[in-house]
């Protein structure tokens, strides 16, 4: 005999302004439902909606106990989520962060803010989970939909998410289709009216139910803005009166003094032309909004669903239907099943059909943007990752609290731009650009974006020509370059103060290299040193450079920080390093056979960048956006020094590290 | 196997255990008397639906046992005893229930005082006072001056904890430390309130009753809250348990992520095996009865007719007593529990010897 399957017992709580609805479910079956009314006199005693918590909770518990329910039998409690911070649709575990946001009324005070805390409280005391499902704060809107036309006023989403998603899911079940596979337009018609375009299970666009879209029984919807401004500044109305005119005393109330659509409909049926004009205009505007949503879905609409209390009116839905059925078939789902929507959401989680989302846990995303797979950049990524780990970040693991997204330009500008676009699409919180070429590209491409950019190992601030560092709120840089004069004075001139002929490689067309080259020439002019420059565009050019330097009988060669030297192998550099003592701009060049470098630690530079990132992610103030680690190091290659017979002199340099 | 009450009486040194029932008011009480050498019994009261009478008796005997020692450690003239009332307080407690209890207390003819405690509200005490004068903590004038017994206990515990911090970390300040408080009703509430007044102190709280959590969180949103089942895993410097005696078994002891364990209850650990685990894990355990005698100091002052202003000063004694015991335990390579009981027993024996000379 088949074993009886356990039935999940779920308590759903839906606080409204003057009542608290509760329902007890055993799986999908609603075995008890009650609307607990709260008299205005009692509610007036509380200073704020939040203060009504104990009163409403006691009423809920008492009602259930009187009806003979044992709260200890519950598997979960689900509450109507409130005006918390904007979140994608879904079922959320109630957590401390959510409670904090509900307490302060993140998007405003509302009775539904009590839903999560009452659910949490009952769940806490019975050691079971508490959830919320699709709160009004659901915000899945696509980026295009957020642009209002005034940069200072982004569009925000506030709509009947619970009923809209629940009805859409019900429709999908009725059609035997997967909800996420459907393109739907769902219009919720109630005291407020919102019309959402659903694509891939998300509301990609929807009118803000408080201030946009069709007028409703008591809200004005979208209004001619300039006339509103004139009224607001006419001196005739207070701010509160103006608000009330839009929400509460707008819509049908403003025309007829009633918010009862049924009353208005009866007047229409009785033959009133005036009532008909306004009532039909409301349907006209709903149809208009549906039409707008169809464009959001590029006309590919599987169905138009009309739901909510007003959907009971055949007259009203008929007017809408005749104007929109050319777009897609219209389906009427009258009423709202919020209690079912709440319970079914919790049930999906309990059954393992859908994971519950974590509200308070935002996994930050950091983009790591680099020029190519060269050793120094790979090393930089390792240093940055190590720093994040040391600060408690976990990534590439199940319990990750940070997502690192890597973007490699592969040495190509065009590819780099595409990678930056990819990082923007992934909604990264910030981008760390590694090395000067990647930094320059990111600075150029992302100028104007609201995206923090951290430049790692920038040779100097001049690399980012045109960046006004005093006003660049979103740019941070860890500098790597040591002034050329300081390099020579602390290594080459210590070993051989009488150098008179210096060879220098550089790469024409690379800004960083050109700046560096100019400075080398300035240094030489100042110290009466003849300077012999050689442009290296490819690694093969190094051999020719060596020949040129030999012909000119240079005594030393400066190997700069251009991309040819930075990416050259020891073998490619050998043609120069074996013939001449070399002053290297990069520590890495010494590892590849260069003789000596006076430099900043690459590790410290990378850690400085990671530190900027950690501070930005945690909202910690950054006092200086341009930082160069102060400590200098002298690194010399033992074998190369030995080969040139300069060991005694090199060892006299204080703090020199021979590798 | 059924609990052998007499065996338990022997192991907890209790000499009297009385069971009393008054069906007309649903009163079911168990009174344990442990020791009266130092003076009349100052009995703390617990009202709880224990489920079975053996468990209730066990709780009464343990409470009485530790009450003797905490009074002795503080050198206060009270014997140790306890009153356990069986039943759900929400269902059984009313005027007549409490007055019946007062009438019963009279039968001990002044050898037993009922002390105001977390389980008895101001109103409860007023009903008991209608029938008996043997109540401590009933003087409204005294208590209204700002020191409820639970607060006195909490402040005493804080002093004891400061001593433990001094001993363990060598520092006088509590800034920079993390405290976990398990159970925030009564004494726990006052401990949390005190800790939250300190600068740079992180406080993690939990309680089985969410409303208590919310009350604190609405006032101090930054306090960290965790569910009761997660509390033992919280990394902290000091873990303060304000729930039940013996609530920490081997499993919880293995989970604890603290450096100091203590609490408002007399002895939060279940057995000596648990103490061994704590020692192995480097956790300093300070039994609650060593530092939870703040209310005794308060009551002693009330009976002596001294003002409450002296109470706060005297609560400072708990710091010195605790620190001395910790140092002694280290010198003698014993547990704090061993040296505390030894010190208390010695004091009781000395008083007994003096009394014989009278």
């Amino acid at each position: 005999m088949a074993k009886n399957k356990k039935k999940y017992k779920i308590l759903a709580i839906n606080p409204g302004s003057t009542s608290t609805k509760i329902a007890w479910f055993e799986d999908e079956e609603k075995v008890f439902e009650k609307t607990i009314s709260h008299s205005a006199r009692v509610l007036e005693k509380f200073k704020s909606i939040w203060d009504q918590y104990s009163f409403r909770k006691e009423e809920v518990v008492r009602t259930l106990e009187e009806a003979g329910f044992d709260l200890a039998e519950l598997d979960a409690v689900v509450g109507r989520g409130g005006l918390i911070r904007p979140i994608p649709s879904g079922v959320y575990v109630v957590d401390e962060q959510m409670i904090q946001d509900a307490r302060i009324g993140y998007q405003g005070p509302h009775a539904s803010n009590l839903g999560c805390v009452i659910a949490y409280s009952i769940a806490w005391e019975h050691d079971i989970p508490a959830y919320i499902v699709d709160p009004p704060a659901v915000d899945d809107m696509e980026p295009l939909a957020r642009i209002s036309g005034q940069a200072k006023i982004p569009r925000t989403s506030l709509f009947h998410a619970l009923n809209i998603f629940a009805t859409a899911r019900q429709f999908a079940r009725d059609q035997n289709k997967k909800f996420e596979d459907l393109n739907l337009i769902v219009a919720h018609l109630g005291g407020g009216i919102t019309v959402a375009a659903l694509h891939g299970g998300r509301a990609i666009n929807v009118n803000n139910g408080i201030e946009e879209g069709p007028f409703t029984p008591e809200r004005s919807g979208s209004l001619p803005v300039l006339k509103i401004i004139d009224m607001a500044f006419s001196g005739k109305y207070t701010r509160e009166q103006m608000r009330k005119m839009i929400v509460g005393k707008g819509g049908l109330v403003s025309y007829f003094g009633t918010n009862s659509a049924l009353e208005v409909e009866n007047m229409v049926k009785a033959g009133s032309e005036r009532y008909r004009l306004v009532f039909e205009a409301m349907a006209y505007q709903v149809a208009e909004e549906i039409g707008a949503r169809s464009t959001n879905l590029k006309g590919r609409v599987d169905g138009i669903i009309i739901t909510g209390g007003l959907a009971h009116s055949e007259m009203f839905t008929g007017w809408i239907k005749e104007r929109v059925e050319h777009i897609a078939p219209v389906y009427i789902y009258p009423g709202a099943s919020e209690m079912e929507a709440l319970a079914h959401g919790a049930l999906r989680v309990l059954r393992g059909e859908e994971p519950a989302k974590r509200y308070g846990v935002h996994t930050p995303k950091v983009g790591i943007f680099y020029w190519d797979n060269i050793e120094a950049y790979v090393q930089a990524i390792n240093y940055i990752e190590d720093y994040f780990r040391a600060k408690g970040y976990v990534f590439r693991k199940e319990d990750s609290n940070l997502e690192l997204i890597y973007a490699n330009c592969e040495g190509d500008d065009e590819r780099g731009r595409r990678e930056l676009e990819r990082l923007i699409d992934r909604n990264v919180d910030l981008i760390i650009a590694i090395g000067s070429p990647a930094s320059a590209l990111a600075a150029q491409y992302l100028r104007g974006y609201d995206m923090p950019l951290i430049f790692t190992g920038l040779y100097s601030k001049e690399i980012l020509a045109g960046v006004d560092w005093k006003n660049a709120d979103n740019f941070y840089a860890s500098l790597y370059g040591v002034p050329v004069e300081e390099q020579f004075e602390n290594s080459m001139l210590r070993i051989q103060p009488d150098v008179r002929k210096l060879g220098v490689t550089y790469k024409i067309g690379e800004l960083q290299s050109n700046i560096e080259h100019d400075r080398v020439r300035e240094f030489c002019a100042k110290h009466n040193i003849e300077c012999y420059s050689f442009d290296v565009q490819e690694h093969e050019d190094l051999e020719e450079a060596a020949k040129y330097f030999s012909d000119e009988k240079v005594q030393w060669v400066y190997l700069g920080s251009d991309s040819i030297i930075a990416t050259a192998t020891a073998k490619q550099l050998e043609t120069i390093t074996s013939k001449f003592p070399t002053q290297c701009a990069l520590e890495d060049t010494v590892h590849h056979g260069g003789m000596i470098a006076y430099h900043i630690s690459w590790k410290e530079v990378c850690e400085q960048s990671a530190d900027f990132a950690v501070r930005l992610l945690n909202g910690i103030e950054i006092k200086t956006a341009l930082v160069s680690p102060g400590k200098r190091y002298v690194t010399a290659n033992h074998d190369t020094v030995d080969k040139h017979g300069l060991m005694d002199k090199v060892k006299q340099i204080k703090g020199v590290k021979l590798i | 196997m059924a609990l052998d009450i007499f065996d338990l009486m022997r192991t907890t040194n209790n000499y009297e255990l009385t069971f009393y029932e008054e069906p007309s008011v649903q009163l079911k009480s168990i009174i344990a008397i442990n020791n009266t050498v130092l003076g009349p019994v100052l009995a703390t009261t617990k009202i709880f639906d224990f489920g079975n009478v053996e468990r209730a008796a066990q709780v009464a005997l343990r409470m009485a046992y530790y009450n003797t020692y905490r009074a002795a450690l503080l050198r206060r003239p009270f014997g140790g005893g306890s009153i356990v009332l069986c039943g759900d307080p929400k269902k059984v407690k009313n005027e007549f229930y409490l007055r019946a209890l007062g009438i019963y207390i009279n039968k001990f003819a002044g050898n037993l005082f009922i002390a105001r405690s977390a389980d008895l509200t101001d109103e409860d005490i007023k009903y008991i006072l209608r029938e008996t004068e043997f109540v401590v903590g009933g003087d409204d004038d005294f208590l209204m001056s700002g020191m409820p017994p639970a607060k006195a206990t909490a402040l005493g515990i804080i002093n004891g904890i400061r001593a433990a911090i001094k001993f363990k970390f060598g520092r006088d300040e509590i800034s920079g430390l993390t405290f976990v408080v398990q159970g925030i009703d009564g004494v726990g509430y006052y401990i949390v309130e005190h800790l939250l007044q300190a600068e740079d102190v992180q406080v993690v709280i939990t309680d089985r009753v969410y409303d208590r959590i919310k009350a604190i969180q609405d006032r101090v949103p930054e306090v960290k809250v965790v569910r009761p089942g997660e509390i033992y895993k919280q990394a902290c410097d000091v873990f303060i348990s304000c729930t039940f005696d013996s609530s920490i078994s081997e499993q919880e002891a293995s989970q604890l992520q603290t450096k100091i364990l203590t609490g408002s209850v007399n002895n939060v650990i279940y057995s000596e095996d648990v103490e061994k685990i704590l020692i192995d894990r480097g956790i300093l355990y300070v039994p609650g009865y060593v530092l939870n005698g703040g209310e005794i100091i308060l009551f002693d002052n009330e009976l002596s007719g001294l003002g409450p202003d002296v109470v706060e000063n005297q609560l400072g004694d708990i710091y010195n007593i605790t620190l001395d015991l910790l140092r002694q335990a280290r010198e003698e390579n014993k547990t704090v529990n061993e040296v505390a009981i030894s010190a208390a027993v010695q004091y009781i024996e000395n008083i007994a010897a003096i009394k014989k000379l009278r």
Side-chain angles (χ1 to χ4, degrees):
Chain A
M1 197 172 71
K3 226 174 154 184
N4 279 344
K5 246 174 80 180
K6 173 187 160 61
K7 278 192 174 179
Y8 288 109
K9 293 179 180 170
I10 298 162
L11 171 63
I13 302 167
N14 185 357
S17 53
T18 58
S19 68
T20 304
K21 278 187 201 164
I22 55 170
W24 184 287
F25 286 82
E26 293 186 2
D27 283 352
E28 281 87 356
E29 189 191 353
K30 185 164 59 184
V31 297
F32 175 77
E33 185 173 26
K34 182 152 187 183
T35 300
I36 307 167
S37 297
H38 312 304
S39 78
R41 204 162 35 84
V42 172
L43 294 184
E44 270 169 21
K45 287 183 200 161
F46 298 100
K47 269 196 257 168
S48 68
I49 291 172
W50 189 253
D51 290 341
Q52 296 169 12
Y53 157 80
S54 295
F55 165 70
R56 293 211 195 206
K57 182 191 165 191
E58 278 168 24
E59 290 280 290
V60 169
V61 172
R62 189 180 50 75
T63 304
L64 288 166
E65 283 176 356
E66 281 174 9
F69 290 99
D70 182 358
L71 296 176
E73 290 179 4
L74 283 170
D75 293 290
V77 190
V78 58
R80 175 91 191 274
L83 302 188
I84 49 179
R85 65 185 66 198
I87 47 172
S89 67
V91 183
Y92 285 80
V93 175
V94 181
D95 60 17
E96 285 303 315
Q97 183 64 57
M98 190 187 293
I99 299 292
Q100 298 269 25
D101 288 347
R103 174 186 295 115
I104 59 169
Y106 195 88
Q107 294 197 68
H110 195 267
S112 62
N113 288 341
L114 291 168
C116 58
V117 69
I118 297 175
Y120 192 50
S121 168
I122 293 172
W124 176 289
E125 284 159 16
H126 295 90
D127 203 16
I128 52 175
Y131 304 110
I132 61 161
V133 181
D134 291 330
V138 163
D139 188 350
D140 279 330
M141 288 208 303
E142 60 185 351
L144 281 171
R146 295 184 191 280
I147 308 295
S148 70
Q150 167 47 256
K152 289 180 177 155
I153 310 175
R155 287 188 68 230
T156 54
S157 162
L158 212 59
F159 71 113
H160 303 90
L162 184 60
N163 189 46
I164 282 180
F165 280 108
T167 311
R169 282 178 195 283
Q170 183 59 49
F171 171 78
R173 277 194 297 274
D174 294 346
Q175 299 290 316
N176 211 13
K177 297 214 167 115
K178 225 173 135 194
F179 166 58
E180 289 80 4
D181 293 342
L182 294 171
N183 276 354
L184 299 171
I185 297 171
V186 187
H188 172 98
L189 314 179
I193 294 177
T194 52
V195 183
L198 304 189
H199 170 72
R202 295 163 52 220
I204 59 166
N205 197 359
V206 62
N207 62 300
N208 184 308
I210 300 289
E211 56 188 352
E212 290 179 339
F215 70 85
T216 84
E218 56 184 29
R219 298 177 194 169
S220 67
S222 301
L223 289 174
V225 182
L226 295 178
K227 289 191 172 62
I228 287 290
I229 294 171
D230 289 344
M231 282 179 82
F233 286 93
S234 67
K236 289 182 189 166
Y237 307 97
T238 64
R239 179 191 167 92
E240 195 46 41
Q241 282 170 328
M242 288 297 298
R243 289 184 72 94
K244 263 273 184 262
M245 205 179 288
I246 290 162
V247 181
K249 290 187 174 175
L252 296 182
V253 175
S254 74
Y255 290 97
F256 309 122
T258 178
N259 64 0
S260 166
L262 189 63
E263 244 177 73
V264 174
E265 185 172 342
N266 286 338
M267 289 299 287
V268 176
K269 282 178 182 165
S272 167
E273 277 306 313
R274 192 168 148 259
Y275 275 76
R276 183 193 165 97
L277 179 71
V278 175
F279 199 37
E280 191 175 345
M282 192 160 86
Y284 178 86
Q285 288 196 5
V286 173
E288 202 169 42
E289 198 71 20
I290 290 171
R293 289 300 91 83
S294 76
T295 64
N296 303 148
L297 296 168
K298 295 178 181 168
R300 289 191 283 274
V301 184
D302 297 309
I304 297 166
I305 302 166
I306 300 177
T307 180
L310 247 175
H312 285 291
S313 166
E314 284 183 19
M315 179 192 283
F316 193 76
T317 57
W319 284 328
I320 298 171
K321 207 171 166 183
E322 67 186 21
R323 291 182 185 277
V324 300
E325 60 190 351
H326 68 280
I327 299 170
V330 178
Y331 303 86
I332 312 288
Y333 282 74
S337 315
E338 290 183 337
M339 303 312 279
E340 284 80 0
L342 290 172
H344 293 175
L347 199 55
R348 287 196 299 278
V349 172
L350 291 173
R351 284 175 173 163
E353 294 165 7
E354 179 182 321
K357 294 176 179 168
R358 309 290 301 195
Y359 174 78
V361 181
H362 162 68
T363 304
K365 292 177 189 166
V366 170
I368 295 187
F369 182 66
Y370 57 107
W371 187 247
D372 213 340
N373 269 331
I374 64 173
E375 205 176 319
Y377 297 159
V378 172
Q379 190 66 54
I381 292 172
N382 289 335
Y383 288 144
I384 290 167
E385 287 185 351
D386 287 347
Y387 191 86
F388 279 132
R389 279 192 200 96
K391 293 290 172 186
Y393 284 101
V394 179
F395 36 91
R396 297 196 291 271
K397 287 188 178 167
E398 206 171 292
D399 56 344
S400 293
N401 55 14
L402 178 70
E403 189 179 347
L404 296 180
I405 303 168
Y406 304 90
N408 182 354
C409 306
E410 294 180 0
D412 178 66
D413 272 15
E414 194 44 47
R415 164 94 193 191
R417 286 193 187 94
R418 287 202 303 274
E419 286 297 289
L420 285 169
E421 277 171 19
R422 186 169 67 87
L423 292 178
I424 300 288
D425 285 346
R426 293 286 303 274
N427 283 325
V428 294
D429 293 273
L430 57 92
I431 293 173
I432 300 177
I434 297 173
S436 295
S439 295
L441 185 62
Q444 183 192 2
Y445 190 76
L446 296 179
R447 194 167 295 168
Y449 276 82
D450 186 20
M451 170 67 66
L453 250 180
I454 300 169
F455 307 111
T456 306
L458 207 57
Y459 178 73
S460 73
K461 67 177 181 178
E462 285 80 13
I463 297 297
L464 305 180
V467 171
D468 172 9
W469 282 97
K470 279 184 186 159
N471 297 308
D473 288 343
N474 267 336
F475 284 3
Y476 308 88
S478 61
L479 302 173
Y480 180 68
V482 175
V484 166
E485 187 152 350
E486 198 183 326
Q487 291 180 48
F488 285 126
E489 281 175 355
N490 285 284
S491 38
M492 183 182 82
L493 294 183
R494 290 275 180 88
I495 299 164
Q496 195 173 341
D498 58 347
V499 172
R500 284 291 158 259
K501 283 188 168 189
L502 177 72
V504 54
T505 61
Y506 73 118
K507 187 180 178 187
I508 291 175
E510 219 172 63
L511 182 61
Q512 165 185 337
S513 179
N514 294 348
I515 293 171
E516 192 178 38
H517 178 236
D518 287 348
R519 290 189 183 159
V520 172
R521 292 193 74 85
E522 282 166 21
F523 167 80
C524 289
K526 192 175 165 189
H527 291 82
N528 293 321
I529 297 172
E530 289 175 45
C531 186
Y532 296 87
S533 307
F534 197 91
D535 170 30
V536 286
Q537 292 292 325
E538 294 172 357
H539 291 124
E540 288 70 31
D541 295 341
L542 292 170
E543 204 170 331
E544 213 178 319
K547 189 170 176 304
Y548 170 67
F549 295 145
S550 291
D551 291 346
E552 299 298 336
K553 296 188 174 51
V554 303
Q555 293 159 285
W556 276 67
V557 171
Y558 181 73
L559 295 174
S561 57
D562 59 79
S563 60
I564 298 302
I565 301 298
T567 57
T569 61
K571 195 168 172 49
Q572 287 166 333
L573 287 172
E574 196 181 5
T575 180
I576 294 175
T577 56
S578 61
K579 288 180 187 157
F580 308 96
T582 44
Q583 170 85 49
C584 309
L586 305 173
E587 178 190 358
D588 218 34
T589 309
V590 178
H591 287 269
H592 292 158
M595 199 181 85
I596 194 162
Y598 181 79
H599 61 94
I600 289 170
S601 156
W602 186 232
K603 183 171 183 250
E604 286 172 21
V605 167
C606 298
E607 286 177 344
Q608 175 58 56
S609 265
D611 187 64
F612 279 139
V614 169
R615 284 171 178 273
L616 286 168
L617 293 175
N618 291 287
I620 302 168
E621 188 192 4
I622 295 174
K623 285 184 180 154
T624 312
L626 263 173
V627 176
S628 176
K631 200 166 176 194
R632 308 293 203 246
Y633 298 86
V634 192
T635 306
N637 185 304
H638 184 280
D639 293 347
T640 311
V641 172
D642 209 27
K643 191 180 292 176
H644 293 292
L646 296 168
M647 189 59 80
D648 288 348
K649 290 186 175 171
V650 168
K651 279 188 172 172
Q652 282 172 17
I653 298 174
K654 196 180 170 190
V656 66
K657 185 182 165 197
L658 283 157
I659 56 167
Chain B
M1 198 171 71
L3 189 72
D4 184 336
I5 295 282
F6 288 106
D7 186 43
L8 190 61
M9 284 178 71
R10 270 192 301 279
T11 56
T12 53
N13 298 328
N14 282 279
Y15 70 82
E16 189 176 321
L17 188 69
T18 61
F19 294 80
Y20 174 72
E21 182 174 16
E22 180 45 66
S24 65
V25 291
Q26 295 187 62
L27 176 66
K28 288 181 181 173
S29 79
I30 302 172
I31 293 185
I33 295 180
N34 180 273
N35 193 301
T36 51
V37 170
L38 301 182
V41 166
L42 184 64
T44 46
T45 306
K46 184 97 204 144
I47 311 179
F48 192 74
D49 186 1
F50 289 97
N52 67 66
V53 72
E54 288 167 338
R55 170 79 185 123
Q58 200 174 13
V59 169
L61 291 166
R62 278 175 66 104
M63 275 168 64
Y65 169 80
Y66 287 115
N67 283 346
T68 297
Y69 295 129
R70 66 177 187 158
L73 287 172
L74 290 168
R75 305 194 167 206
R76 301 284 163 166
F78 297 115
S82 67
I83 301 170
V84 165
L85 304 172
C86 306
D88 179 349
K90 281 187 193 159
K91 291 178 183 164
V92 298
K93 224 166 55 166
N94 59 36
E95 176 186 349
F96 306 106
Y97 176 94
L98 293 160
R99 289 176 67 172
L101 176 65
I103 292 165
Y104 182 53
I105 299 294
N106 283 333
K107 294 192 166 60
F108 291 84
N111 287 317
L112 181 136
F113 283 77
I114 184 167
R116 181 185 289 218
S117 55
D119 285 11
L120 294 173
T121 65
D122 292 356
E123 200 171 42
D124 296 341
I125 289 291
K126 281 177 190 157
Y127 290 133
I128 296 169
L129 274 167
R130 285 195 192 172
E131 302 296 343
T132 182
E133 61 183 299
F134 302 118
V135 176
V136 194
D139 184 340
D140 271 357
D141 289 340
F142 190 84
L143 293 170
M144 289 302 166
S145 56
M147 187 71 83
K151 187 173 181 182
T153 304
L155 293 179
I157 289 169
I158 292 287
N159 284 330
I161 288 171
R162 283 181 183 276
I165 288 168
K166 174 79 175 170
F167 178 79
K168 182 81 177 174
F169 306 127
R171 56 188 287 182
D172 295 316
E173 297 305 316
I174 63 170
S175 60
L177 298 181
T178 300
F179 295 81
V180 162
V181 184
Q182 180 191 31
I184 53 166
D185 193 21
V187 175
Y189 174 85
Y190 286 111
I191 290 175
V192 171
E193 193 177 58
H194 185 89
L195 292 173
L196 289 174
Q197 284 166 10
E199 269 183 35
D200 191 23
V201 162
Q202 194 181 356
V203 184
V204 184
I205 59 170
T206 196
D207 198 293
R208 297 251 160 229
V209 180
Y210 181 74
D211 291 4
R212 294 177 192 148
I213 296 283
K214 186 175 171 294
I216 288 188
Q217 229 181 1
D218 280 352
R219 213 161 40 84
V220 190
E222 57 272 24
V223 69
K224 186 179 172 190
V225 168
V226 296
R227 284 207 171 195
E230 297 162 14
I231 196 72
Y232 296 111
K233 295 176 191 164
Q234 295 302 308
C236 62
D237 298 292
V238 185
F239 188 105
I240 308 161
S241 176
C242 304
T243 53
F244 292 102
D245 264 325
S246 311
S247 60
I248 294 185
S249 66
E250 291 174 25
Q251 188 189 341
E252 286 86 18
S254 306
Q255 289 178 345
L256 280 171
Q257 299 294 320
T258 185
K259 298 177 184 79
I260 297 171
L261 169 67
T262 187
S264 68
V265 293
N266 286 321
N267 192 357
V268 73
I269 63 172
Y270 183 73
S271 66
E272 285 179 7
D273 289 343
V274 176
E275 193 162 18
K276 279 181 196 147
I277 292 172
L278 296 175
I279 291 167
D280 288 347
R281 299 193 59 221
I283 298 171
L284 173 65
Y285 174 56
V286 186
Y289 71 90
V290 170
L291 39 74
N292 70 3
E295 62 182 12
I296 296 180
I297 294 172
L298 183 78
F299 295 146
D300 188 25
N301 279 280
E302 181 187 344
L303 290 173
S304 315
L306 295 172
D309 48 327
V310 298
V311 173
E312 206 149 340
N313 273 340
Q314 291 181 8
L315 288 171
D317 293 349
I318 292 176
Y319 177 93
N320 296 325
I321 291 166
T322 308
L323 194 55
D324 286 349
L325 289 172
L326 290 168
R327 286 174 176 160
Q328 189 187 342
R330 181 171 58 193
E331 281 161 19
E332 296 175 9
N333 199 22
K334 290 179 178 171
T335 65
V336 182
N337 195 35
E338 285 168 338
V339 294
I341 287 183
S342 168
V345 166
Q346 186 63 55
Y347 179 72
I348 292 167
E349 284 176 1
N350 289 345
I351 293 292
I354 289 293
K355 279 189 172 179
K356 274 185 192 167
L357 295 176
R358 285 176 185 160

